[in-house]
Structure formats: structure tokens, C-alpha cells
Amino acid sequence: QVQVVESGGGLVQAGGSLRLSCTASGLTFGNYAMGWFRQAPGKEREGLSCIRWSGGVRYYADSVKGRFTISRDNAKNTLYLQMNSLKPEDTAMYYCAAAMTGYCSGSWAREASYQYWGQGTQVTVSS
């Protein structure tokens, strides 16, 4: 049984930082590409970043490029998202997801590209 669990969310002031973690079990983590998404109330889920199985290739949405960094530790079955210079508009539920392809396809920002999802962790940025 595959389980994907996010952690590390919380309340932070604008300009602050948070690091999200995502652990996956029940799958061969090192074979999967991993992505981060977020969804704010009343908005569609937004693809933020994707990292290839080896960690060597990463993609970012324009909205977070230069502020967020995705990384992974395959030995620990863990994905990370370092978020710096946070803004109130970053407030959302953050999700991680696993893609069987192992690489970040041209549609990496689409939900349908991922097979396994976590339940999310809430990030709230106060102004």
C-alpha cells in the first residue's frame, strides 16, 4: 500500500521561510519523479515544481522560481521543498505527488501526470 505524507507546514510571517517534507512508502521512491503542488481556497491546484528520480533535473513554476527549491534524498525516501521569501499569496494547502515515469515530462505541472498523492500540509503566510 502506497502512502505519501507531507509535513512541515505552518504559520509564518511574510518574508520568512519554511521547509516542507514528504515521505513515501510502499513504492520504490528512487524510481519516481516527484512533484509539489498547492491549492488555495477557491483556486485550482497549481503545479509548483518537479524533480527527476535522480534529482539531476528540476522544474519550477514561474510563481516560485528563485524562491523555492525542490530536493530529494532517495536513501530516506523523502522529498523536500525549501520555501524562502514567502508571500501572503503563497498561502495554500501544499501537496506532494509521485509520478511513475521517473522523469518530469512536458506536462509535469498537470495533476494527471502523477499517480500517488499525499493529504497535504497547510502553509499560511501572514502579512
Side-chain angles (χ1 to χ4, degrees), residues 17-36:
S17 298
L18 278 176
R19 188 176 82 156
L20 305 183
S21 298
C22 168
T23 58
S25 60
L27 51 75
T28 305
F29 181 80
N31 289 350
Y32 284 71
M34 298 296 295
W36 283 103

Side-chain angles (χ1 to χ4, degrees), residues 29-34 49-60 69-74 79 102-104:
F29 181 80
N31 289 350
Y32 284 71
M34 298 296 295
S49 185
C50 180
I51 186 168
R52 190 176 182 178
W53 66 272
S54 62
V57 178
R58 313 173 193 198
Y59 296 91
Y60 295 95
T69 302
I70 191 171
S71 62
R72 66 190 296 162
D73 185 338
N74 288 345
L79 175 74
Y103 61 90
C104 301

Side-chain angles (χ1 to χ4, degrees), residues 17-115:
S17 298
L18 278 176
R19 188 176 82 156
L20 305 183
S21 298
C22 168
T23 58
S25 60
L27 51 75
T28 305
F29 181 80
N31 289 350
Y32 284 71
M34 298 296 295
W36 283 103
F37 287 71
R38 69 184 177 189
Q39 188 168 20
K43 294 188 176 181
E44 292 187 354
R45 194 166 294 190
E46 176 189 13
L48 302 179
S49 185
C50 180
I51 186 168
R52 190 176 182 178
W53 66 272
S54 62
V57 178
R58 313 173 193 198
Y59 296 91
Y60 295 95
D62 288 344
S63 59
V64 303
K65 196 174 297 182
R67 299 189 299 124
F68 291 10
T69 302
I70 191 171
S71 62
R72 66 190 296 162
D73 185 338
N74 288 345
K76 296 182 178 180
N77 286 9
T78 302
L79 175 74
Y80 302 99
L81 186 68
Q82 178 66 43
M83 306 187 296
N84 298 329
S85 303
L86 283 162
K87 306 174 183 179
E89 51 264 44
D90 293 319
T91 295
M93 186 71 78
Y94 283 69
Y95 301 89
C96 78
M100 295 173 63
T101 59
Y103 61 90
C104 301
S105 69
S107 57
W108 68 264
R110 297 178 61 185
E111 294 179 65
S113 296
Y114 301 82
Q115 291 72 48

